[in-house]
Amino acid sequence: MNQISVGDTSAWTVIHGASVAAPFLRAAYAPSPCAGDLVEDQIDLFLEGTPSQLTTALSLLEKTISRSQLHAQGGYPYFQMLRFQPESDGTYYYCPINNPYLTFNASGYKTHHTGSLQVTLHFTRPNWFDSDPIELPLTNRNGEDVTGGIALFNHTDAHAGHDSSVLIKPDHIESALPAPLRFELENTHPTGEVQDIFTGLYHHPTNDEHDIFFCQSPEFMGGSLLYSPDAINEYYRRLIWSSTSWTDLGSWTLINTHVRLFSGRTFRPILHLYNSHLYNDLYLKIKLLKGSLVLWEGEAIYADPSYQYLIFPPVRIPPVSLLNENLPHHIDFAFFAQRHTSGTHQIDVDNLLLLPLDTSASFLGFFTLMEEAVLVDDSFFGKHNIRYPTLGSEAVGHLRQGGPLLLYPVEYNRLFFVQTNTSHQVDILRTSTLKAYYRKRVRLL
Amino acid sequence: MTHALFVSFLRRDFSGPFLPAVRLAPERLSWSAFGGPDQSIILAHGQIENLLELTSTLRFPVHIHDHQNTPVWWGFVDEVIIFLEDVQVKVSLVNLYNRVTIQYSFISPDNKLADQLETAPINNPQSQSEFGIKETMIHETDLDENFANALRDTFLSLHAWPFSELSQRSKPGEVYAQLHCSGWFKTLAWRNYKNLEGFYANYGPGPGVFAFGDANTHRYVGQSFQPGANVNLKYVYFRLRAEASPSTSLTARLHSQSSGYPGSLLATSSAVPASQVNGSKYAWIRFTFSTPVALSSGTVYWITLNPGGVNASNYFYIKTDENMEFSQLWRHGAYFNQSTGAWYPLPSETAPGTKPDLVFRFVCLSDTGLQIATIASAGDQFFEKILGLTTGIQTSPFRNNGYDCLKEIEALMKAGTSNKRWVLATVTSERFLKFYEQPDPDEADVYIDSKSRFFTKHQVQLPSYLPPVGRYARLAATTRVSLPWDRNRIPACFIESAAYFPTVDKLIIAKHSSS
């Protein structure tokens, strides 16, 4: 090991190897074996120097401990970490340390004043080590392997540049374990502000296409297809019914090659409406059908009329595991609606996104994201905020739901975004730019 | 990561601080949406003689606060247990009672129930001035008056001061003390609640019936009564039977009193078709005042019944009570003779010349929020202020079950509000008792992550020792729960109660025991 340090990004203290300074002499570290996500671990530190140097070093270690405790309470901004550099000029790897404390060798109280000391730093750490962030080249129809920011639209259709997702190629993720993602999403739209943002990641060894996630209205079976230049792909479906019972409004067919690509993963269907509806007693639900056979039925959702989109319960596609010896059967993704009020009812359906939940996060805004403001989400630090470049400041503006966003190495990863404005609309012409970073994650240094 | 919490005491009369010569550390704190700070256990270490001094802290106010002096938990010392080497000593307020009443039944020589009586309450004023009034009503059967009084006096003598208990420890151990503390809300159980207003009734049993609506000489019937509090009349009931097939509609009417009989008309109930009155047997018939009518305390009122016409073949009978069992002594029934234009006392077959009552029920309603505040005021001994609410739910305020104020209030809290939500309560650190409506589940305002940390919707972390009890929480650890779409599939979770263990910084969310 070329070097081991302790501290945080504001200040590092080398405790082993290159550039180590008295009284720190060396460190002995044998990572504890563990199958779980958290490891109870320790590192032995050997110190030699004047009693004054030793006292200063111990104060420094105690400061690290107190900063870690303060960080846990939100009173200090940085993780306390161990930093490892396996080889000279090589990559640094970090692990946050929690619940740290020091113990001393039995004769420490004597040797402290004669110039040597052995102390053990005990701590809990994640069962992995992460590198510094590395910018990811991003690909969609606005550019290939773009760094420095790629353009996003707030919908995906056949028109040039209308992409709401980015692809990350397998070659660009060098990590032994799923790697934490950091993204920076800048609002570049001159009008309106962003309220909520939904993200999701999908990974697959071979699939680099986005078509399977977006179901467009021309392919919907049911209702009438209507033209509008303002609709996604310029068409939407008008679905009309009059029963007060649950009524089948129609379906999209997920062909068997697509079902195979969904791989039994879970998706959150987000249905975009061309127009908001006006009903305060409308419920919808999804059924996965094989012909008339119901393979899976979701819970009904209340279609709040103040929203121009509907989010359905997570659905696994296909709903049960298959042997995978043949192509899976195709599935009809069917919509059912119910209003208890009698009369003729109508909704205008624009498109459906199957938002992947491999790893995902929702950002529910209590501050809006104005033009040029940047939503930053860092799954390594487990923090997010809004950055205001013109003001040079940052603030937390969203309640974040979901776990860390992780990229799967040696696979195609696709990152999706859905942005809503303060009127609960997915304003489809909204634009933004995206930068993304990852940290290599390894179990063994 | 544990948090330092600090314990402080006030003297029993809140006059100033009490500084025990022991080391104190909270071991467990709990809160409930139905009362705020609920229970706590505080550990004390020190010299034996100083630990024993803690027995004098019963009913001392306790405050627990964090390093920034933010109040975390507050209440009073309910029980002290001193663990000595081999023995433990417990002193407790749990079985202390300094006001006692016996409710008893009396059996006659022929072994039949003769009467049900209540002794006068007996008090221990010294104990009451020290700890507050803590009353109990003991229910016994087959007693006479002397026996009941002796039982009451002995019970008071044995329970007027803190109860102590000596026992052996299961195995010798460390010398320390445990202070078991309760929240102030629990002190509402120290007083019983009775309200004989708002429900006026005479069930008879009679004898007596009176025909009316059969002739002008029997045009209307009525009953007087006198509320002892300001109430709102909603329903009146009479026991009626139809003769033949009257086709009229009946109405009940509220009058003021004039010269001892019904005077000015104040309100009229909704009409009840005569077809609803049974022709073969007497049944309770309800008359409803669509808008409750305000009645003033101390004013005599009459409720009269108008048969809707006179018909010699098709008319009504009403049950009367010639035994005059109605508890209001000077109130009675009457009938109106249209031929003379005057009201007369109802006739009595068994005791001519007396003034029989009708058999009736008059039901008044009030907002349950007002009732909660009234009962809380009746049970209040330690609160600085009581802050109520309007629930929009109207029920009878009458109470005569011998229940304590806490039980009565908890029942009303569960009855909820017109928004179909519970009434919640908390006691602030200033001892303000505050009742409020359970939040809207669609407006969940706290989130919990996978590490059991609570956040506000603005992502501000709440300390684990200040749990969001009485609020709705949602999971922040997953995107699979999203408002408003998942409100039926995975509703927000109401946090009814929580317990915090400071030594391990562990918060346990639990369901309130009474829900």
Side-chain angles (χ1 to χ4, degrees), chain A residues 48 87 111 124 226 272 352:
Chain A
E48 274 185 19
E87 55 192 334
T111 62
T124 308
L226 300 173
H272 185 247
L352 176 76

Side-chain angles (χ1 to χ4, degrees), chain A residues 29-267:
Chain A
Y29 180 51
S32 301
C34 178
D37 284 348
L38 281 178
V39 186
E40 299 272 350
D41 213 344
Q42 64 184 61
I43 185 167
D44 296 324
L45 310 181
F46 299 90
L47 289 75
E48 274 185 19
T50 65
S52 167
Q53 283 177 319
L54 291 177
T55 300
T56 303
L58 288 179
S59 299
L60 199 146
L61 292 171
E62 293 289 4
K63 191 166 195 169
T64 298
I65 290 168
S66 92
R67 282 178 167 175
S68 173
Q69 291 168 342
L70 273 173
H71 175 76
Q73 296 172 14
Y76 186 74
Y78 307 114
F79 278 131
Q80 294 306 295
M81 294 185 279
L82 280 173
R83 185 182 71 177
F84 300 87
Q85 188 182 38
E87 55 192 334
S88 178
D89 296 328
T91 304
Y92 286 114
Y93 287 93
Y94 305 82
C95 71
I97 56 175
N98 295 308
N99 308 314
Y101 64 95
L102 286 176
T103 58
F104 304 90
N105 63 325
S107 58
Y109 74 101
K110 289 187 271 187
T111 62
H112 180 190
H113 300 288
T114 57
S116 71
L117 192 60
Q118 181 188 338
V119 302
T120 303
L121 178 65
H122 303 260
F123 54 89
T124 308
R125 66 166 176 88
N127 196 8
W128 52 72
F129 303 91
D130 291 324
S131 74
D132 280 310
I134 302 161
E135 184 166 7
L136 285 159
L138 305 174
T139 297
N140 65 18
R141 285 176 292 163
N142 294 306
E144 181 156 5
D145 295 337
V146 176
T147 55
I150 191 168
L152 283 178
F153 259 69
N154 204 16
H155 74 282
T156 297
D157 64 12
H159 294 104
H162 288 191
D163 269 340
S164 56
S165 68
V166 293
L167 181 73
I168 301 151
K169 295 175 182 171
D171 294 348
H172 296 142
I173 310 168
E174 295 175 19
S175 180
L177 297 171
L181 175 77
R182 171 191 170 99
F183 72 77
E184 298 176 4
L185 181 74
E186 180 182 350
N187 178 13
T188 56
H189 204 58
T191 57
E193 296 178 357
V194 180
Q195 175 100 19
D196 298 337
I197 297 170
F198 305 97
T199 65
L201 267 162
Y202 167 84
H203 62 92
H204 194 274
T206 57
N207 180 40
D208 60 357
E209 298 294 331
H210 64 214
D211 292 351
I212 65 168
F213 305 99
F214 299 96
C215 302
Q216 310 292 3
S217 54
E219 288 83 46
F220 189 84
M221 290 180 293
S224 319
L225 188 64
L226 300 173
Y227 171 79
S228 167
D230 299 327
I232 296 173
N233 248 359
E234 298 176 348
Y235 287 95
Y236 64 92
R237 285 273 174 183
R238 174 156 291 171
L239 310 177
I240 298 173
W241 75 105
S242 55
S243 170
T244 55
S245 303
W246 280 105
T247 303
D248 185 352
L249 300 182
S251 61
W252 274 287
T253 296
L254 307 180
I255 61 173
N256 52 10
T257 51
H258 288 182
V259 174
R260 168 167 277 185
L261 293 174
F262 289 129
S263 309
R265 309 271 182 75
T266 305
F267 301 84

Side-chain angles (χ1 to χ4, degrees), chain B residues 220-231:
Chain B
Y220 313 121
V221 290
Q223 171 71 40
S224 63
F225 71 107
Q226 183 179 26
N230 295 335
V231 290

